[in-house]
Every structure is written in structure tokens, then in C-alpha cells.
Amino acid sequence: MTKVLTITILLVTSTAVQSAEPNQYAERAEEVTGFIQKNFFDAQSGVYFKTVKHDRLDYVWLQSVMFANLTAAARIEPDKYALPLDAYFTALDGYWDAKAKIPGYEAAPTRGNGNDKYYDDNAWLVITFLEAYETNHDPRYLQRADETQRFVLSGWDEEIGGGIWWHERHKDGTKNTCANGPAAVGCLQLAKFETAEAPALIQKAREIVAWTNSALQDDDGLFDDRKVVATGEIKRGKLTYNSALMLRANLGLYRATGESAYLDEAKRIGEAADWFLDKNTGLYRDAVRYSHFMIEADLELYRATNEPYLLERAQRNVDAIYTNWKANTPDDMMSSACIARALWLMSEAETEPGKAFWRNADKFEK
């Protein structure tokens, strides 16, 4: 795997409180990001260990969350985080299987010609590479996003009427919301930059959303986890990240097409997401590895609708996960990366440069 220089990120200390004052979110995000760098970064590989035990490198899905974290950090503190982000992008080549017929990211570091690629893992990377491209306009990120999305879309077939499989070898025999939701978001984000392919990408996003709605959406607007292709059985169980990415896909379709039905559906999912809240605390019940995606969806929907409950719900959850992190710091990398990512995004929601970035990122020039 690629060797990179060790990059030291300063650890910023902070006092745990119940609610952050404006502009404190970035300080807290730096604190958590510094903790990750100190405790999980592997200088030899350039990527991150799964736990503080340093017994193995983390899987690529979890690496994608850390990449999203550094992408947000590089917007707010470019002098500090731009070089680590660039080095990390290069180091992730250790997971890239360029020898496969349709290249993509393997779950674990690979020598090539592997067969353990998950379509959802790759879809998460498409989304964060495109955000990184919006952040620094490095064409390598756009190129890799395009290459990776080609792998993601290769997972679509017409069994049970369509849908993208979870795994390239059809492990578990299912087509999952967690693969289809982010695949649709990736299509719509890529369409902003690949103008020649934009009509086809928008149409594919329509098809993915329509299939996922018909196959996995419950009557309340939220989404079940997966469908068994051989039997048609729906594996029940609603997780925040599934509904969050379908909310974002509907918002993306609204921006790309101007069709108000997609905005109405995004709003319906957003309102239905109260189901995920603990009635006593008002906090998302899911583990942060899932719920931080719903926080991100809350902020995106808030930018589109200005409905105060969305910002309040996101802020309440971000404050709580930071407070819990201070009280009981997790020993896995991904949990801290999710928390840091949410903190950076909350910081941007309260600053003019952050708001300006997302106003531009949310635009779709038709």
C-alpha cells in the first residue's frame, strides 16, 4: 500500500457542555478529529485502524466516513487538513481493485482481481469524493467518483423488477436500501459535473428511487432494510441511514427536475423520521454510525425548507453525541469519525462561509 508521511493534527481540548455556542462546533470537531489521528492513524498505510488495538486496518466503508470527515475539515481549516485529505485519497488506492473488469473498492486492502466489493461501500465513496471535488476542485476526485459510480451502477439488474444488489457476489442474496439510496444520491451529484451524461444519470436516479420506494418503503414513509431476491421476503427493520439517503435522493431529484412531488416526499420522510427519536430524550435511538447520516439529511432538508424543527433536531443530536463522546470515548475509529463529521457540518450551518458552500453545492443548473 502507498506510504505517506505522518501528519500530526493538533488535539484541541474542550469542555463538555449540553449545548454548543455558535462557532464552538468547529473547535469540538477539531478535538475529535485530533483524537482519531492520534489513536487510529497508521502512518505506514496512510489509512486508519479499526480500533485502538491496532490489530487490523478498518474496512473501506468505515474509511469512507473518515474521508468525509476530513473533507469537511479541509473546507474549514484548509491549511491544516488539505494535505492530510490528499494523502488519504492516495492511500485509499490500497483498497482499489484496478484489475477487475469493472474496477471498484474492495472491502479490505487488496492486490487486485478481488471479489469482495460491496455496492454500498462504493456508493458512500462516490458521494464523499464528489463533496471533496466541490471543496478543492481537484479533478482526480471527480474522475475516481465517476469510475466508482460505474461499478455501483453495474450492480443493477432486472431481477425482482430492478434494484442494486448489496454485494457483487450476491452475498446474503439481497438488494438493500443502503445500496440503492446512496447510489441514487451519487447519480444526482455526478450529474452536476458530467453534463453529457446528466440526462442518463438523472433517469437512473429516478429508476432507483422508484424501485426502492416500491420494494422497501413502508406506509409511514420510512424504509425497511433489504429484500431477498429469491423469495421476495422483506427483511424488516428501519435504520436512520436508509431513510436519510432516500430523503436526500428525493431532494436531489427535486433540484434536478423541479418536480415538487420529490420535495413533498423528502419532507414526508423528514417528518416521519421522528419515529427514530427516543420519546424521553428526543435523540435518535440508532448507533451514531447510522444516525449521523440522518443528522446530515436533517441539515440538507433544512437548507431546502427552512423548517426550524429540522435544525433543532440536528443540533440536539449533535450536542448529545459530543457530550456522550466526552463522557465515554469509543474505542472504534468510525464512531469518532461520525461524531466529528456531524460537528463540522453543524459548524458550517452556523457560519456564512459554510452556508455559502452548501448553497452552491445544493444548486443544480438545468
Side-chain angles (χ1 to χ4, degrees):
M1 296 182 65
T2 305
K3 306 277 186 179
V4 300
L5 295 175
T6 303
I7 299 168
T8 301
I9 298 179
L10 296 177
L11 182 64
V12 181
T13 59
S14 178
T15 303
V17 296
Q18 290 299 313
S19 180
E21 295 297 325
N23 303 319
Q24 286 190 338
Y25 288 111
E27 182 179 325
R28 293 175 175 186
E30 287 223 32
E31 178 186 3
V32 181
T33 302
F35 170 82
I36 297 167
Q37 191 70 13
K38 179 180 178 181
N39 290 279
F40 299 98
F41 183 69
D42 176 38
Q44 182 175 3
S45 67
V47 299
Y48 293 81
F49 287 111
K50 183 176 180 62
T51 71
V52 292
K53 294 179 182 179
H54 289 194
D55 52 352
R56 64 176 178 178
L57 299 175
D58 219 335
Y59 293 115
V60 78
W61 172 47
L62 297 94
Q63 302 284 354
S64 76
V65 176
M66 187 58 195
F67 192 88
N69 177 40
L70 285 184
T71 297
R75 284 195 299 277
I76 297 170
E77 296 285 350
D79 290 344
K80 190 171 186 178
Y81 293 108
L83 288 178
L85 178 68
D86 187 64
Y88 193 22
F89 175 74
T90 301
L92 285 172
D93 279 349
Y95 296 79
W96 179 250
D97 184 359
K99 297 178 181 178
K101 181 178 180 181
I102 305 176
Y105 284 93
E106 291 276 301
T110 181
R111 294 181 180 177
N113 286 321
N115 53 17
D116 191 29
K117 301 178 189 68
Y118 291 80
Y119 294 107
D120 62 327
D121 291 2
N122 282 268
W124 301 121
L125 285 161
V126 171
I127 293 170
T128 192
F129 288 160
L130 290 170
E131 185 184 324
Y133 177 68
E134 293 242 29
T135 298
N136 63 17
H137 309 292
D138 186 330
R140 295 176 304 152
Y141 295 169
L142 179 59
Q143 179 181 344
R144 181 52 58 86
D146 181 69
E147 294 167 343
T148 308
Q149 186 71 351
R150 292 179 189 278
F151 170 75
V152 173
L153 295 181
S154 74
W156 174 281
D157 66 25
E158 295 303 323
E159 289 196 59
I160 61 170
I164 293 172
W165 291 85
W166 182 48
H167 188 271
E168 67 173 336
R169 296 174 63 197
H170 300 178
K171 185 170 75 173
D172 196 45
T174 58
K175 294 183 175 182
N176 298 30
T177 306
C178 70
N180 285 274
V185 173
C187 282
L188 295 162
Q189 291 184 346
L190 190 60
K192 292 168 50 181
F193 307 110
E194 299 288 1
T195 54
E197 298 179 23
L201 287 165
I202 294 168
Q203 179 58 29
K204 178 51 73 175
R206 284 186 187 269
E207 294 172 5
I208 294 169
V209 167
W211 179 85
T212 312
N213 288 346
S214 65
L216 289 161
Q217 190 174 32
D218 201 354
D219 291 341
D220 61 2
L222 303 178
F223 289 81
D224 284 307
D225 194 59
R226 61 200 189 276
K227 192 166 189 175
V228 180
V229 171
T231 65
E233 177 191 3
I234 296 175
K235 295 292 186 180
R236 305 289 177 182
K238 297 170 184 174
L239 290 168
T240 37
Y241 80 148
N242 285 329
S243 294
L245 270 294
M246 290 303 295
L247 185 162
R248 293 182 63 193
N250 276 281
L251 264 184
L253 279 169
Y254 167 67
R255 290 192 291 260
T257 68
E259 296 176 22
S260 60
Y262 288 120
L263 177 60
D264 292 343
E265 183 63 12
K267 292 168 71 173
R268 184 169 83 100
I269 297 169
E271 291 168 1
D274 271 352
W275 181 87
F276 292 114
L277 300 174
D278 182 280
K279 292 182 179 178
N280 295 318
T281 64
L283 305 177
Y284 289 127
R285 296 186 298 267
D286 287 350
V288 70
R289 67 173 51 201
Y290 303 118
S291 64
H292 87 282
F293 289 106
M294 196 71 230
I295 292 169
E296 186 162 353
D298 283 343
L299 292 173
E300 184 170 344
L301 186 57
Y302 174 73
R303 295 194 301 269
T305 67
N306 293 313
E307 294 178 279
Y309 87 93
L310 292 160
L311 183 61
E312 190 277 332
R313 190 166 70 184
Q315 186 172 18
R316 182 172 66 246
N317 276 273
V318 170
D319 291 345
I321 60 177
Y322 172 75
T323 298
N324 292 339
W325 181 85
K326 290 288 287 186
N328 187 21
T329 305
D331 63 3
D332 68 298
M333 185 278 291
M334 187 186 187
S335 292
S336 289
C338 296
I339 292 166
R341 166 76 174 173
L343 287 162
W344 289 120
L345 294 177
M346 200 70 231
S347 173
E348 289 188 303
E350 295 197 335
T351 63
E352 285 309 314
K355 292 175 184 177
F357 173 83
W358 286 109
R359 277 196 301 270
N360 184 67
D362 290 341
K363 288 180 182 177
F364 196 103
E365 300 293 339
K366 294 185 283 293

